[in-house]
Amino acid sequence: MEFRLQHTLMFMSLLLVMHMCYMDDSLGLRKHKGWSKLILVHQWPVTVCMMAEKHCEHLPNYWTLHGLWPDKTEMCNGSWPLDISNIQDLLAEMNTWWPDVLHPNCSDFWKHEWKKHGTCAASLSSLNSQHKYFSKGLELYARVDLNSVLEKYGLKPSKKYQVKEIKDAIWNTYGIVPKIQCLPPHPVMDLSFWL
């Protein structure tokens, strides 16, 4: 069965981050208790807007960063809100690679990601500030470079692909198999799924 990448892929979670951390232990995950890996989550902007049934303008034509999520934990510290002044020097990169496609020029998406995932990741000294958390997410996004990997395998927007082609590209590059969970079809689009 074929799927249109432009309209159907929403999220791709890469467990590569876990493997990279274990290789160089730069995040100290071996010593951490409570969660054992970070998941770098990408999103396809067109589908994000379609799923929200929102018309979005000037969408990036590349996979953007959705988040950096510790497994097994959420909402660890609701009393620690995001202060945008702490990441002021990252905002240009954030708007390019980690944008809020539903609400451009707004920090609500980042506030949500910090509250739900960043406050849990902050239990590691290497991620224990808002600046460290968001800069590490940007660093890993650049390091993984999913857009280039998919393009290398001919998986460009507006073409049709088999899910297996995407899995194979990721396996051949990173040595991991993404987990795919299908979502029910929406009347306006073919099918959306999580990777």
Side-chain angles (χ1 to χ4, degrees):
M1 176 175 274
E2 293 184 343
F3 303 99
R4 292 203 65 173
L5 181 64
Q6 182 177 11
H7 298 293
T8 62
L9 297 179
M10 184 166 180
F11 293 102
M12 182 173 301
S13 302
L14 292 180
L15 297 177
L16 174 65
V17 177
M18 174 189 68
H19 296 282
M20 290 165 40
C21 294
Y22 280 129
M23 286 190 304
D24 64 17
D25 203 25
S26 63
L27 296 177
L29 290 179
R30 290 183 198 173
K31 301 172 192 121
H32 183 70
K33 297 188 189 314
W35 51 272
S36 60
K37 61 187 163 221
L38 290 168
I39 303 169
L40 187 66
V41 182
H42 291 69
Q43 64 186 7
W44 185 247
V46 173
T47 305
V48 172
C49 292
M50 292 178 78
M51 296 282 298
E53 297 181 353
K54 180 175 174 146
H55 174 72
C56 303
E57 295 184 12
H58 311 294
L59 288 175
N61 194 25
Y62 51 86
W63 287 88
T64 60
L65 182 56
H66 182 82
L68 184 60
W69 302 350
D71 69 330
K72 304 179 187 172
T73 59
E74 292 182 358
M75 306 288 190
C76 295
N77 185 349
S79 66
W80 190 4
L82 177 63
D83 179 352
I84 291 296
S85 68
N86 291 330
I87 59 170
Q88 197 67 37
D89 63 318
L90 302 175
L91 292 181
E93 281 185 277
M94 298 278 291
N95 281 313
T96 301
W97 309 118
W98 202 334
D100 183 340
V101 296
L102 296 176
H103 311 98
N105 304 314
C106 179
S107 61
D108 288 348
F109 176 54
W110 302 327
K111 287 176 182 176
H112 167 78
E113 287 300 300
W114 170 253
K115 182 178 178 183
K116 186 171 183 180
H117 305 291
T119 59
C120 298
S123 62
L124 289 180
S125 61
S126 58
L127 298 172
N128 68 359
S129 73
Q130 295 169 355
H131 192 275
K132 287 179 182 179
Y133 172 74
F134 286 106
S135 62
K136 183 56 77 175
L138 290 167
E139 176 193 328
L140 292 171
Y141 172 85
R143 202 163 144 187
V144 168
D145 196 11
L146 179 65
N147 291 294
S148 295
V149 168
L150 294 177
E151 188 172 322
K152 174 183 165 186
Y153 285 89
L155 302 171
K156 297 179 185 178
S158 302
K159 292 189 175 184
K160 292 186 177 189
Y161 313 102
Q162 303 260 339
V163 173
K164 183 179 180 331
E165 292 176 281
I166 296 167
K167 281 183 172 182
D168 288 349
I170 292 169
W171 171 258
N172 291 334
T173 304
Y174 305 120
I176 60 162
V177 178
K179 179 181 176 185
I180 298 176
Q181 179 182 351
C182 295
L183 299 177
H186 187 281
V188 178
M189 62 183 153
D190 302 326
L191 182 69
S192 290
F193 56 90
W194 299 64
L195 287 174

